[in-house]
Amino acid sequence: MADSITITDNRTGESVEIPITNGGVAAADWSKFLPGVWFYDPGFMSTAACESAITYLDGEAGILRYRGYPIEQLAERSSYLEVAYLLLHGDLPTADQFEAWRHEITMHTFIHENVRKRFLEGFHYDAHPMGMLVSAVAALSTFYLDAKEIFDPASRNKQIIRLIAKMPTLAAAAHRFSVGMPFVYPDNSLDFASNFLSMMWKVAEPRFEADPVLSRALDVLFILHADHEQNCSTTAMRVVGSSHADPYSATAAAAAALYGPRHGGANEAVIKMLTEIGSIDNVPDFIAGVKAGNGRLQGFGHRVYKSYDPRAKIIKHTADQVFEVTGKNPLLDIALKLEEIALSDEYFTSRRLYPNVDFYSGLIYQAMGFPLEMFPVLFAIPRTAGWLAHWQEMLDQDSKIARPRQLYIGTEPRDYVGIDARS
Ligand code: CMC
């Protein structure tokens, strides 16, 4: 059987054979054949917008791999910083490479004093930390003018390091401001996750000692969130990056895409939903309501995963470890009951709706003391590595500027009428 498809234009009787490569067919080959006929695909449901060597995802089988490594192995044995290196460089670092990488990231954790004083402190007292983060990341482009040199390898590398290193600092600063606490400077003697926890929670103690179980749990969550191929925010990164905007502006656009409840805001929605349900006894009624079309079961379903999200499995295990330190999140029992009922209900099974990464991550963050508003911020910190890996790959592929077509459904041409003559 030939690995190709044949299309016939019934208007002319002409046929063209197009090879299937890596599971796709090149639209450019079709469009030459069908000038002026566009492929209508809102939400890119059937469109591959790029070739990528970063993350492999098989939604049918529930498989996720970064650069070929199964997510389960990385979550168990690696660290977020090592995974960030892997995503960006293509291979795991040697011991020397990792030490140099760790050192560079650690030495770039500080933010310019004016980012904090003039910029972050200018926000309204009740500003949402994700809104602050999006704006602060965009503002960084005004501090690093060399960021425009996106084809200079040294400059590109420097911005990548700055962005990965400064995200936790900006994230914690946004939180501290939103609760009226003073800014905590990075402690460069700490690892990536522990330093973030120190910037979040330090009060008057000379040195903040994070519980190692919680630090490790956060690092695992960072690994699980580091990349997820062409999701909404990564697509935003690639689209904005394709105009050759600097990486801070592109990352701010990606973070803005992550802000929405259908993407990075879903774990916040899960906690709100569980709180609203309030007790195990109310779960059956809630499920009945969802089935009747009253809202969605938050943290369930995925555009790509049509079986259990592999990240959700790992997170469930991490949750057990965290709850041993923090005490069980009282919402856990409601979540478990919801999952049990949904997984045996024909409505959910026939639509292949399973728990996704957000179903349990919010419970962990809440047990660790993070306010709900910080949930998308916690997602943005590690996803920065994935965004940048895709941005770099897109530039190396000399990708064209993203510019889709539309199917025009507006009015026919008409003449302008002066305001006095309009009815
Ligand atoms: N609860 C109840 N019904 C659902 C749900 C849900 N969570 N998700 C999808 N459905 C139903 C939907 O009503 C539709 O039914 P029907 O065919 O009868 O109209 C069918 O399943 C297909 O839904 P869809 O909206 O066409 O699917 P999609 O691929 O466009 O949406 C999704 C994917 C993630 C936006 C959606 O499943 C959803 O809204 N889930 C809840 C929010 C959530 O948990 N988001 C986090 C996603 S994972 C994090 C990330 O990677 O960003």
Side-chain angles (χ1 to χ4, degrees):
M1 204 167 35
D3 225 5
S4 65
I5 55 165
T6 302
I7 312 165
T8 304
D9 185 343
N10 292 330
R11 297 167 305 181
T12 60
E14 264 184 83
S15 289
V16 64
E17 188 182 346
I18 305 166
I20 299 175
T21 312
N22 296 328
V25 288
D29 293 348
W30 298 50
S31 58
K32 262 185 261 150
F33 179 60
L34 298 169
V37 177
W38 307 120
F39 303 99
Y40 179 53
D41 187 17
F44 312 127
M45 300 277 288
S46 315
T47 297
C50 63
E51 289 182 313
S52 180
I54 299 169
T55 287
Y56 176 78
L57 207 170
D58 180 340
E60 292 293 323
I63 292 173
L64 174 62
R65 296 185 201 124
Y66 296 160
R67 300 283 190 186
Y69 294 100
I71 191 68
E72 294 79 6
Q73 290 182 22
L74 293 171
E76 196 185 327
R77 301 183 54 193
S78 186
S79 65
Y80 168 66
L81 274 194
E82 190 178 61
V83 163
Y85 183 100
L86 171 69
L87 291 169
L88 281 148
H89 293 88
D91 288 304
L92 286 169
T94 62
D96 286 350
Q97 287 167 333
F98 180 71
E99 188 39 39
W101 172 249
R102 193 200 58 74
H103 179 78
E104 285 222 79
I105 300 279
T106 308
M107 291 306 129
H108 282 86
T109 50
F110 276 61
I111 50 174
H112 193 292
E113 279 294 280
N114 283 346
V115 174
R116 177 171 69 85
K117 286 192 195 151
R118 300 264 164 79
F119 200 76
L120 289 173
E121 291 182 1
F123 281 101
H124 200 51
Y125 72 94
D126 59 354
H128 192 293
M130 189 63 175
M132 290 175 75
L133 182 75
V134 169
S135 317
V137 172
L140 285 186
S141 75
T142 66
F143 286 80
Y144 303 114
L145 301 180
D146 55 333
K148 292 195 186 313
E149 306 302 329
I150 57 173
F151 291 107
D152 170 1
S155 167
R156 199 192 280 182
N157 189 45
K158 196 168 212 173
Q159 316 316 325
I160 287 173
I161 285 166
R162 282 176 173 151
L163 268 160
I164 292 174
K166 293 182 200 310
M167 263 334 231
T169 315
L170 291 174
H175 165 71
R176 302 284 293 201
F177 178 80
S178 71
V179 292
M181 294 286 284
F183 175 69
V184 176
Y185 286 94
D187 180 342
N188 287 348
S189 68
L190 297 173
D191 64 66
F192 192 83
S194 304
N195 176 43
F196 174 59
L197 291 174
S198 163
M199 292 188 290
M200 281 292 298
W201 309 128
K202 190 169 181 293
V203 186
E205 62 275 49
R207 190 164 192 268
F208 182 85
E209 300 284 350
D211 186 299
V213 173
L214 301 187
S215 271
R216 176 62 192 159
L218 191 61
D219 209 51
V220 169
L221 286 161
F222 283 174
I223 292 171
L224 299 182
H225 285 89
D227 194 44
H228 211 230
E229 52 116 298
Q230 308 310 317
N231 53 85
C232 180
S233 57
T234 303
T235 300
M237 182 86 189
R238 288 187 96 118
V239 167
V240 175
S242 78
S243 76
H244 291 178
D246 69 83
Y248 300 99
S249 303
T251 302
L258 189 66
Y259 199 171
R262 283 169 152 189
H263 189 10
N267 49 11
E268 182 176 345
V270 170
I271 297 296
K272 285 187 174 149
M273 173 189 74
L274 296 174
T275 310
E276 223 168 86
I277 295 173
S279 125
I280 291 192
D281 299 340
N282 298 332
V283 169
D285 280 354
F286 180 81
I287 295 267
V290 169
K291 287 163 65 177
N294 303 327
R296 290 195 163 193
L297 183 46
Q298 297 301 328
F300 260 67
H302 200 274
R303 172 62 59 79
V304 181
Y305 290 121
K306 297 302 168 197
S307 70
Y308 214 98
D309 179 341
R311 301 169 301 172
K313 270 191 204 151
I314 300 166
I315 279 196
K316 227 173 153 179
H317 177 59
T318 307
D320 292 337
Q321 295 169 334
V322 167
F323 296 157
E324 270 184 32
V325 176
T326 61
K328 195 171 78 175
N329 188 324
L331 298 176
L332 177 68
D333 290 334
I334 301 174
L336 289 170
K337 190 73 188 165
L338 266 181
E339 182 182 343
E340 181 196 313
I341 296 187
L343 292 185
S344 58
D345 189 304
E346 196 270 338
Y347 175 93
F348 296 94
T349 52
S350 64
R351 289 170 178 77
R352 308 181 71 189
L353 301 170
Y354 295 91
N356 59 50
V357 67
D358 289 317
F359 194 64
Y360 287 104
S361 63
L363 289 173
I364 300 180
Y365 293 144
Q366 196 183 43
M368 287 172 78
F370 291 104
L372 289 189
E373 297 73 36
M374 280 299 282
F375 289 8
V377 175
L378 288 162
F379 195 158
I381 294 172
R383 185 54 61 87
T384 301
W387 291 332
L388 290 166
H390 285 273
W391 172 72
Q392 183 175 251
E393 183 180 66
M394 185 263 317
L395 291 177
D396 286 344
Q397 289 168 338
D398 198 16
S399 169
K400 289 208 176 292
I401 188 167
R403 204 306 184 185
R405 300 290 181 151
Q406 65 167 17
L407 306 184
Y408 178 70
I409 55 166
T411 57
E412 292 300 313
R414 49 184 170 167
D415 290 322
Y416 181 84
V417 178
I419 196 163
D420 297 338
R422 288 176 216 157
S423 51

